[in-house]
Amino acid sequence: MKPKVIVYKKVDQQVLDYIQETCDVVYFEGLDSQNYPEFLQELKNAQGILGSGLIVDKTLLDQAPQLKIVCNSSVGYDNLDVSELSNRGIMATNTPEVLNETVADTIMGLMLSTARRMPELDQMVKSGQWTSNIGEKSFGLDVHHKVLGIIGMGGIGSAVSKRARFGFGMNILYHNRSRNEDAEQKYGAAYCSLEDLLKQSDFVCLMTPLTPQTEKMMGEKEFKLMKESAIFINCSRGKTVDEEALIDALKTGEIHAAGLDVFVQEPIQEDNPLLSMKNVVTLPHIGSATYETRLKMAMLAATNLVAGLQGETPPTLIKAGVKVK
Ligand SMILES: NC(=O)c1ccc[n+]([C@@H]2O[C@H](COP(=O)([O-])OP(=O)(O)OC[C@H]3O[C@@H](n4cnc5c(N)ncnc54)[C@H](O)[C@@H]3O)[C@@H](O)[C@H]2O)c1
Ligand SMILES: O=C(O)[C@H](O)CO
């Protein structure tokens, strides 16, 4: 008999076809309050689950006695209680690397659109406010040849460095848990303390995973250290930032602008002050959201699922505890 698995996120038909060769699939295109009870019912005898964002903790696992593998279709896995999974002998997998280049494109887009005020100027043109003497009203800041500080020089940070160094002639500073010699050699990235990075960078890009150590790692003190002309970019997780402190720093002019793909609450609440700030560019957590890359991520997650259930080591198994680089 084929093992039963749940796919709880919309995936391409070819991904479903591949899983169905060896598994019985229960498919939810997404989870909401309506179908969640049905999902929990199916979970009782599921051996694998595939999707992203679902909180997989002790409470959920208590309702999944047959579970052998949890496959995230995302590189971030802060939704998983990895030690609880490991204690129960359940495998966990994520999708690193395949999204690096796409997320790096998004980050460059946030840097450019924030520094050059593209969404704001787009609105100005479309609402008929393009006058012949528009002048300084349309000015922004240069991106090229500025200093880019990357906090979290992993796969995505490195892909951003490549673009920034070779496409824009930027100088790269970085702060990481440990030295990344590859990024130093290839992109001339210079390792420094968080404090020095914040003081010296024109753009600060946060790209760490969300862990107990990185939660609110950008707070009041950190924003105060940044230049008044600096732009803050966050494409990691909303909770790596103290959002209240960010709002204050933007309001008081402690920093110049921010480009954000992620927020403490997603979808963002309508009354969040960030939504009414001209110097903030917001995106709806779409860092990796291209047809090509989302297909690669789902296919890698499916490969992990099938391998795990066939007794093989999944290609991108998360080691127990926090991954150390
Ligand atoms: N917005 C999006 O759509 C999107 C897309 C992909 C990834 N992400 C987020 O970005 C994160 C990073 O992705 P990645 O593929 O580059 O991961 P990665 O593991 O390759 O790199 C993360 C880097 O952060 C460093 N780091 C961890 N804790 C740190 C700390 N306390 N201080 C300094 N550095 C620290 C690690 O050493 C590592 O080099 C993911 O975990 C995910 O949360 C968001
Ligand atoms: O971590 C990731 O891969 C992105 O946030 C997409 O979910």
Side-chain angles (χ1 to χ4, degrees), residues 8-40:
Y8 65 87
K9 174 191 175 93
K10 190 170 191 313
V11 295
D12 203 272
Q13 187 58 45
Q14 62 182 289
V15 177
L16 280 181
D17 289 346
Y18 170 70
I19 302 172
Q20 272 161 345
E21 282 172 25
T22 53
C23 304
D24 273 335
V25 179
V26 179
Y27 185 39
F28 296 88
E29 289 200 356
L31 294 179
D32 54 33
S33 52
Q34 299 263 301
N35 63 15
Y36 198 65
E38 193 192 336
F39 166 78
L40 287 182

Side-chain angles (χ1 to χ4, degrees), residues 198 206 215-226 230 232 234 238-258 260 264 272-274 277 279-280:
L198 295 170
L206 183 54
E215 187 163 357
K216 293 193 178 174
M217 82 180 286
M218 283 298 296
E220 191 186 338
K221 178 174 142 248
E222 287 72 26
F223 288 119
K224 279 198 185 354
L225 288 170
M226 285 174 64
F232 175 67
N234 188 14
K239 287 181 181 165
T240 52
V241 174
D242 178 342
E243 213 167 75
E244 294 300 318
L246 171 62
I247 291 166
D248 282 350
L250 287 159
K251 269 191 194 156
T252 57
E254 261 163 36
I255 67 170
H256 181 70
L260 308 169
V264 170
N272 189 315
L274 291 168
M277 293 182 176
N279 54 345
V280 176

Side-chain angles (χ1 to χ4, degrees), residues 237-305:
R237 286 287 182 269
K239 287 181 181 165
T240 52
V241 174
D242 178 342
E243 213 167 75
E244 294 300 318
L246 171 62
I247 291 166
D248 282 350
L250 287 159
K251 269 191 194 156
T252 57
E254 261 163 36
I255 67 170
H256 181 70
L260 308 169
D261 185 43
V262 288
F263 302 88
V264 170
Q265 191 173 334
E266 296 179 3
I268 193 169
Q269 276 187 309
E270 267 175 44
D271 61 353
N272 189 315
L274 291 168
L275 297 182
S276 51
M277 293 182 176
K278 279 190 177 173
N279 54 345
V280 176
V281 175
T282 55
L283 293 176
H285 199 147
I286 49 80
S288 63
T290 63
Y291 289 108
E292 300 93 326
T293 291
R294 283 291 169 88
L295 176 58
K296 283 184 200 155
M297 291 163 69
M299 209 51 182
L300 177 53
T303 307
N304 280 320
L305 179 74

